[in-house]
Amino acid sequence: MRVHCKYFHIFRYLLSFFAGSSFIVKKSINIMLTPFLLPALLLTALAATAKSLTLKPECQPSCGGGVDVPYPFGIGPGCYRPGFEIKCIGNMTILGNSTSQYQVLSLAVTPRPEAKVMLPVAYRCYSPDDKVTHAYDGGVDFNSAGVYRISNTGNELIILGCNTLIFTAGGPSGRHRFAYYAGCVAYANDSKSVQDGACAGVGCCHVNIPPGLTDNSMRFAGGGVWSHANQTFCPCDFAFIAVKDYYNFSAADLDITTIGRKLPMLLDWAMRDNGRSSLTCAEAASMPEYTCVSDHSECVNSNNGPGYVCNCTGGYEGNPYLPNGCTNIDECARPRDQFPCNGVCDDTEGSYDCKCPPGYHSNGDPKENPCNPTFPLQARIAIGIGLCVFFLVVALLLAFIMHQKKKLAENFEMNGGNILKRVTGLTIFTEKELNKITQNNSECLGNGYFGKVYKGTLPDVNETVVAVKSFIKVDDERIEEFTEEVMIQLKMNHPNVLKLMGCCLQLDVPMLVYEFAANGSLSDILHINKRQKLSAELRLDIAIRSAKGLSYMHSQDIRHGDVKPDNILLNDKLIPKISDFGLSKLLNLGEKISQKVVGCEGYMDPVFRNTGLLTPKSDVYSFGVVLLELISRKQLVYGQSGSLVIEFRHIYETEQSGRSMFDEEIVTEENIMILEEMGKLAVKCLKEHQDGRPEMAEVAEQLVKLRKNTMEDDRSY
Ligand SMILES: *[C@@H]1O[C@H](CO)[C@@H](O)[C@H](O)[C@H]1NC(C)=O
Ligand SMILES: *[C@@H]1O[C@H](CO)[C@@H](O)[C@H](O)[C@H]1NC(C)=O
Ligand SMILES: *[C@@H]1O[C@H](CO)[C@@H](O)[C@H](O)[C@H]1NC(C)=O
C-alpha cells in the first residue's frame, strides 16, 4: 500500500513535469482545474436541460425499454405530432395502430431523422406439386399518416429461394402502376450448391432499393419458369428489407422455420403534413404547423420522399422541433477528430476558436494545420545559451565593479583617507576625478621618485594646470608619516614652495596633485634638456627666491633634506618652486629607495651623512652646491673627474676668486662682482662645520642685498 502511494506520487510528479513542457497536457489540466465547481454544475445542468428538451414537458420519455422517445414522437395525447404516436406494450416501444404493431428499436431526430423497427419477413411456401401452402406478402400498416419512407440508403432487399423472382414496388404511378421497382432472382440447382454466407444468386440474392418506398409489400413470381414443383429441398421463398449488412445468409434459412422471423429495418421520416399535399421548406415556413421552432434551427427538404425535416444549425445540437431545443455545442470538450484543433481550443456561442499557444504558430488555420514552435529548438537553445552568457557577463561585471569599489575603499583607508578626509583645505579627488584631470595619464612629464609624473588640468574656472605624482606605497607602518607629510605640505604657503593642490587615495599608491612648473627643474634648464640662455640677473633671482622658499620652510620648522637643482622647479615665469621636501625622511624608511638618496650624496651635508641628524644647516650646505651650479653651470661631477665643490674650494683658496670656474656665458664686467659674491656665499654655505654656515634666512638676505647693490631696479621678493 505504502509502496503504491510512493509510486503514485512519482507518477504525479512526472505528470506535472510533462505538463510544464507540453501545452496540450497543460491545457487539458486547465480544463479540469480552472473551471472548478460552478461551471461543472452548469455543465450538468445543461446536459439535463438538453435531455429534457428532446421531449415535451410532462411527457413520458420512454416506455422503459431503453428506447428514448424524442419529440415529434411522443407517448400519450398532446405529446406527439400527428403521425408520430408511439405506444407502449409493457416496456416495449411500439409503432403502428391497434391492429398492426411493430417493435421500435430506436428513434432518432439528429443527425438523421430515422426510426428502426422490426418487420416480419414475407414468404410463400409450395407443395411438391407446386401449390402454395403458406403465404404472407409483408404488407404492413405503420404508415397511415405517410410520415415514413423505407430508408433506401440504410437498407437492402434480400430474397431467399431456389427458383424465385421477388420484387418490391413504390412511389407514384407513372408508365406503370409504380415509379420504382426493385427485386432479384435466387436459384439453386440442388441443396448442395447453396453456401452459408454467400448471398449472390445461389439460394439467396440481395439488391439495393430505390427511394420513395412506403411499404414492405413483396410481389412473388410463380408458375411457368418459376415453378416450385418437386423442390422439397427448398420449399419456401422469403423476402425482406433489412438494415444493410445486418443479414448473414445461412442455408438453413431456406427452411420453413424462417416463417415468422422479424428483422430490423430503417425508416426515414419527415414532416409530410399528415397526408395533405406535402410541403417543401419554402412553403412550410409560413404555415402554422411549421415545426422547426427552436432558435438556431433550420429547415431541410427531405431527400427520401416529399416534405421537410428540421435540423440544428452548425455549432448547435439538440432537438430543433422544440423551442430552445438547439443548444450550443462545446466543441472543445468533444473528441478532436470531430472538431479538430491543433492549438488551444476555446468554445464560443455556435462555434469555437482555435489558436496556437504563445510561442507557436501554424501555416494557416490551426484547426487544420499543426502548431509549430515559432522558434525552433536550436534557436531556443541558442537564445537560452545567449541569455545565460549575458547574465554571466553581467554578473561578472557587477562582481568586478563591486571588487573595484571595495578596492578603492580599501586603498582609501590604507592611504590614510580616514585621517586626511578630516583635514581642512585638502582636496581629495576620487579615482574617476583624477583620471579626468590627467585625461587617463595622457601626458607624461617625466619620472619622479616613485613613478611617472603626469600633466593634468583641474576642472576649475581657471583650468589650473597641475602635475600629478605618484607617491610611495603606504602601508600600516608608513601611514602616519604619510598623513603627516601631506599635512605639512598642505600647510606650506609660500610663492617659492611648490603648492600641494590635493590628492587621490583610491589607488594602490596615493597620488599627489601639485601646481605645475612649466619649465621643469633648475637642473633641466642649467644642464640638461631645456638648457637655455640664463642671465646673471635671472640666476641671482632664482637663487634669491629659492633661498626665500627654503628660509620659509625653516621658519615653519621644516627641513628639506634633499636640496638640489632637480628639486627646484621653475614655473612658466621661471619663478623657482622648492619641491620634494621632507621626502628623505620617508625615503629612508624604504631600503630600496635609500640607495637613490645615495646617488645625491654630493649635495649631502657631510655632518648629516655622519650623524644622520638633519638640521636646517644641512639644507644650507646643499644650497651652497646649488649656488655653485648657478654661477658655474657645471654639474656636481663634471669633465673627466672634476668635483665641483672640491675644485671650487681649491680655486677659491688659492686664487681668492672663483673666476676661472664661472660660466663664460655671463662673465662680464658688470656681472663679475655678482658672481664673485655668490661664490663667496656658496663657500660659506659649504663650510665643514655647521656653525660656520649662515642661516638660510641670512643667505636670502645677503643675496637680496647683493642684488640691490648691483642692479638698478628695486625688485622686492
Ligand atoms: C443438378 O441436379 C441434378 C439432380 O439433382 C444433378 O444430377 C446434377 O448433377 C446437378 N448439376 C450440377 C452442376 O450440380
Ligand atoms: C414430379 O415428379 C414426378 C415423379 O418423379 C413426376 O411424375 C411429375 O411429373 C413431376 N411433376 C412436375 C410438375 O414436374
Ligand atoms: C444536420 O446538420 C448536421 C450538422 O450540420 C449534418 O451533419 C446533418 O447531415 C444535418 N442533417 C440533415 C438531415 O440535413
Side-chain angles (χ1 to χ4, degrees), residues 59 194 210 227 261 288 298 301 419 494 529 553:
C59 285
V194 291
S227 166
R261 198 168 154 187
E298 62 186 354
N301 284 323
I419 302 165
H494 189 273
N529 44 359
M553 287 170 68

Side-chain angles (χ1 to χ4, degrees), residues 606-627:
V607 177
F608 170 47
R609 191 188 309 140
N610 292 336
T611 61
L613 209 68
L614 186 65
T615 65
K617 289 287 177 71
S618 303
D619 288 342
V620 174
Y621 181 91
S622 306
F623 187 71
V625 184
V626 174
L627 280 180

